[in-house]
Amino acid sequence: MAIFGRNTARQRLKRATQRALSVPMFDAPPDCTPWVIGGLWPPELETVTPATETVAEHLKNDVQRIASSANERLRALRYADLPDSARRAEEVRIIDVARSYAVQRVESTIRQLRSAADDFDTDPRIPVVTPPPVESHVVPDEAEPVVAEPVAIQPEPEPGDHHLARLLEFVARQEPGLRWAVGEREDGTTLLVTDLADGWIPPGVALPAGVELLAPARRRGRIGELLGDVMRSADYHPGDLFAPGRGEPRTESTTARELPRVDDLGWKLIEATHWRDGLPRLVHTLAKAGAAHTGVLDAEVDVLRVHSDTARYQLMAQYPDVDSALLSNCLLLAATEAIAVGDERSANYHFAWFEALNAPTSTQWGAAP
């Protein structure tokens, strides 16, 4: 009986040891850095010179920050109550979105480097060659054939659902990491929304002609609820497949971001960017220059775009739970970039959203019971 007891205890100890050795001593955190930034470093910065040292340092920090944000999302996803298939699909989406942001960030730096090279790629010793004048030959008059003018055939209107799907896909292809929705109201107008920041459309997203946007205001709700009362609608969620043949370019709108003008826009933008945490000094400088219409150098605008793109990539990496301070800085960067290049309509749009989202909330303090 004693021997049997010792054998049983020995077997239990052996099984416990095998089980302990089969489980790793620690849970290694996920690291998607190679998949996010691998192979993206531009050839122009393979050899860093004193002229490109600052640009290379900024680029290195920014792409590493994008990869770190993706790793944080992956770590949070590991503890989410999701099926394995859904978790794997979300992991792939997070990595793909981070990779696309890193690619855009590198492309922005390459454009900046090439723009700077073009500014200095001139040699006064190269003579200017003027082409010789071309002799004109008079052709004797001949009877011109009469060509009948073609009759314009008006295309038949698209079905409502197909039209909405085309509008939706036009914007979703530009920012596939966001949720989008489009709906047709009873009066025939078409409303386009995203839930990035209560309905704000970030810069860089071309809008199709014929759509309207939400007015700046704090609002909550799912993507479909932001549309309000509509007759028909279509929505897009990250990971949805696009139908083939529907993503052809459409006519872009130049007035979709039209809003009532903000009083003293230039002065308010200057005040908002003055010594603001998270914004470089250049933003305030260009806000003053843009408001005064004194002119801004292209190189300064390129640097401002780098800061704006970086902040927007960080914001997208946090989506759907975005930091309010980072969002406000993105709005100010977008408004400053627009006013610096003379696009006052877009500057007014982004700053109006900044005011709406940073306005003090109403409270019940002092209200009658």
Side-chain angles (χ1 to χ4, degrees), residues 242-318:
F242 296 116
R246 272 203 327 222
E248 59 269 18
R250 300 184 59 88
T251 304
E252 297 182 8
S253 173
T254 58
T255 60
R257 290 186 171 92
E258 186 78 44
L259 287 175
R261 180 169 178 79
V262 176
D263 294 334
D264 299 323
L265 172 62
W267 179 82
K268 290 181 178 179
L269 182 59
I270 293 172
E271 289 295 313
T273 56
H274 186 57
W275 297 114
R276 181 176 178 86
D277 291 340
L279 289 184
R281 180 67 178 172
L282 175 68
V283 180
H284 179 64
T285 302
L286 296 189
K288 291 193 297 183
H293 304 286
T294 56
V296 179
L297 297 177
D298 292 340
E300 293 177 325
V301 175
D302 290 337
V303 175
L304 178 63
R305 287 198 179 105
V306 170
H307 290 293
S308 180
D309 291 344
T310 302
R312 191 169 71 253
Y313 302 153
Q314 296 175 18
L315 190 72
M316 297 297 185
Q318 295 179 357

Side-chain angles (χ1 to χ4, degrees), residues 15-329:
R15 286 196 299 269
T17 303
Q18 292 175 345
R19 189 179 301 110
L21 293 176
S22 64
V23 178
M25 296 298 294
F26 60 93
D27 193 7
D31 186 7
C32 64
T33 302
W35 290 273
V36 173
I37 64 177
L40 291 183
W41 194 255
E44 291 85 348
L45 295 179
E46 287 294 342
T47 302
V48 179
T49 63
T52 60
E53 182 178 2
T54 303
V55 176
E57 185 67 21
H58 282 307
L59 177 61
K60 178 182 177 181
N61 294 337
D62 290 342
V63 295
Q64 187 60 51
R65 193 177 296 113
I66 294 173
S68 299
S69 299
N71 286 330
E72 292 177 2
R73 298 286 299 275
L74 291 177
R75 281 193 289 270
L77 186 63
R78 300 181 72 187
Y79 303 103
D81 187 14
L82 292 174
D84 291 341
S85 58
R87 180 180 289 105
R88 286 193 296 270
E90 182 64 15
E91 288 175 349
V92 172
R93 189 193 71 82
I94 291 174
I95 294 175
D96 289 344
V97 171
R99 175 77 177 187
S100 65
Y101 293 155
V103 169
Q104 295 177 40
R105 178 62 181 86
V106 172
E107 290 176 348
S108 176
T109 299
I110 293 176
R111 288 194 301 269
Q112 179 187 356
L113 292 173
R114 292 176 179 174
S115 175
D118 292 340
D119 292 340
F120 297 98
D121 190 16
T122 57
D123 191 348
R125 295 172 298 178
I126 300 177
V128 178
V129 179
T130 304
V134 179
E135 297 181 359
S136 59
H137 300 278
V138 179
V139 180
D141 296 337
E142 295 182 359
E144 297 182 357
V146 178
V147 180
E149 296 184 359
V151 179
I153 301 176
Q154 297 295 334
E156 296 183 0
E158 293 180 291
D161 294 339
H162 185 64
H163 174 65
L164 294 180
R166 283 164 53 87
L167 294 175
L168 183 68
E169 186 167 336
F170 180 77
V171 293
R173 283 184 179 273
Q174 300 177 62
E175 285 292 351
L178 299 179
R179 287 186 285 264
W180 296 89
V182 61
E184 183 179 342
R185 295 166 170 164
E186 292 184 358
D187 58 0
T189 58
T190 304
L191 179 64
L192 174 69
V193 301
T194 182
D195 62 348
L196 171 63
D198 302 330
W200 170 66
I201 306 296
V205 177
L207 301 173
V211 299
E212 296 183 359
L213 307 180
L214 289 173
R218 285 195 181 99
R219 52 178 65 88
R220 292 292 182 267
R222 297 181 179 179
I223 185 66
E225 297 172 349
L226 296 178
L227 288 174
D229 295 331
V230 292
M231 295 188 302
R232 60 176 61 90
S233 64
D235 55 51
Y236 166 85
H237 295 263
D240 290 351
L241 298 178
F242 296 116
R246 272 203 327 222
E248 59 269 18
R250 300 184 59 88
T251 304
E252 297 182 8
S253 173
T254 58
T255 60
R257 290 186 171 92
E258 186 78 44
L259 287 175
R261 180 169 178 79
V262 176
D263 294 334
D264 299 323
L265 172 62
W267 179 82
K268 290 181 178 179
L269 182 59
I270 293 172
E271 289 295 313
T273 56
H274 186 57
W275 297 114
R276 181 176 178 86
D277 291 340
L279 289 184
R281 180 67 178 172
L282 175 68
V283 180
H284 179 64
T285 302
L286 296 189
K288 291 193 297 183
H293 304 286
T294 56
V296 179
L297 297 177
D298 292 340
E300 293 177 325
V301 175
D302 290 337
V303 175
L304 178 63
R305 287 198 179 105
V306 170
H307 290 293
S308 180
D309 291 344
T310 302
R312 191 169 71 253
Y313 302 153
Q314 296 175 18
L315 190 72
M316 297 297 185
Q318 295 179 357
Y319 175 81
D321 301 320
V322 298
D323 178 69
S324 59
L326 178 59
L327 171 60
S328 296
N329 286 344

Side-chain angles (χ1 to χ4, degrees), residues 200 216 268-269 272-273 276 327-329 331-332 335 348-359:
W200 170 66
K268 290 181 178 179
L269 182 59
T273 56
R276 181 176 178 86
L327 171 60
S328 296
N329 286 344
L331 293 168
L332 292 176
N348 185 78
Y349 172 81
H350 298 302
F351 192 80
W353 270 99
F354 171 80
E355 283 193 326
L357 298 184
N358 287 273

